[in-house]
Amino acid sequence: MLDENALFFACSLIEYIGRMRKLKRSDVVEQLGPDVVSRMYRYADVLHSEPIERVADEFVQVGGIGKGLFDNVAACRYEVPDYWAIGAVYARLAADVAEGDDGAEAMQAVYFSWISDALSNYNTDFYYQPRDYLAECFRAGEVLE
């Protein structure tokens, strides 16, 4: 069974790491690799009891995640959504498009698709659209009018 709480924590953690290391979220997931992303999802119930900063540092070390130049927070001209809010958006989308009960696989599908860059553009209203609309856009492969 898909664990939406684990999706929420894991996606928020990926968002946090992306901001901390100034990387596209797909780059964070790629550098972590499927085994580590799966572990992040599987053990989210334990990991969430620690401060997210400490957990993020551990995954940065484990994944050997370098620094990048992608700073969507600094590029934002409006109020920046916090990493929990964006984590929730990714988690809901992953839950909605999951094929089966593998949350880690659903997360990777979302992060490696076109929609991840669209959700990371905080200068648009795309990231706070209704969840069913985001799922339909994901399935269609484009923003729907």
Side-chain angles (χ1 to χ4, degrees):
M1 186 162 120
L2 200 64
D3 184 344
E4 292 195 36
N5 290 326
L7 281 173
F8 169 65
F9 181 78
C11 290
S12 298
L13 182 57
I14 289 167
E15 180 66 22
Y16 186 89
I17 293 169
R19 291 178 185 202
M20 181 175 81
R21 305 305 289 176
K22 296 191 181 347
L23 291 167
K24 287 186 173 192
R25 305 330 175 237
S26 58
D27 292 338
V28 172
V29 172
E30 183 177 1
Q31 288 185 36
L32 288 172
D35 291 340
V36 175
V37 170
S38 183
R39 186 166 25 125
M40 184 185 288
Y41 170 75
R42 219 174 28 255
Y43 297 109
D45 60 335
V46 175
L47 296 170
H48 86 276
S49 63
E50 296 287 333
I52 196 166
E53 299 85 357
R54 193 205 63 73
V55 176
D57 282 339
E58 183 179 316
F59 278 101
V60 165
Q61 296 303 314
V62 167
I65 299 175
K67 277 201 155 204
L69 300 173
F70 180 75
D71 195 350
N72 61 333
V73 171
C76 184
R77 297 185 306 262
Y78 312 108
E79 184 176 343
V80 176
D82 69 19
Y83 54 88
W84 296 115
I86 296 301
V89 172
Y90 275 101
R92 287 190 300 265
L93 181 57
D96 290 345
V97 302
E99 296 178 8
D101 62 357
D102 190 343
E105 194 173 285
M107 286 170 42
Q108 291 176 79
V110 169
Y111 282 109
F112 290 139
S113 78
W114 69 274
I115 208 165
S116 185
D117 287 343
L119 291 173
S120 290
N121 183 352
Y122 303 149
N123 291 318
T124 71
D125 65 350
F126 188 67
Y127 68 89
Y128 62 85
Q129 294 300 313
R131 78 185 280 172
D132 58 334
Y133 174 75
L134 292 176
E136 286 305 312
C137 288
F138 175 85
R139 288 183 190 104
E142 64 184 350
V143 176
L144 301 173
E145 295 299 321

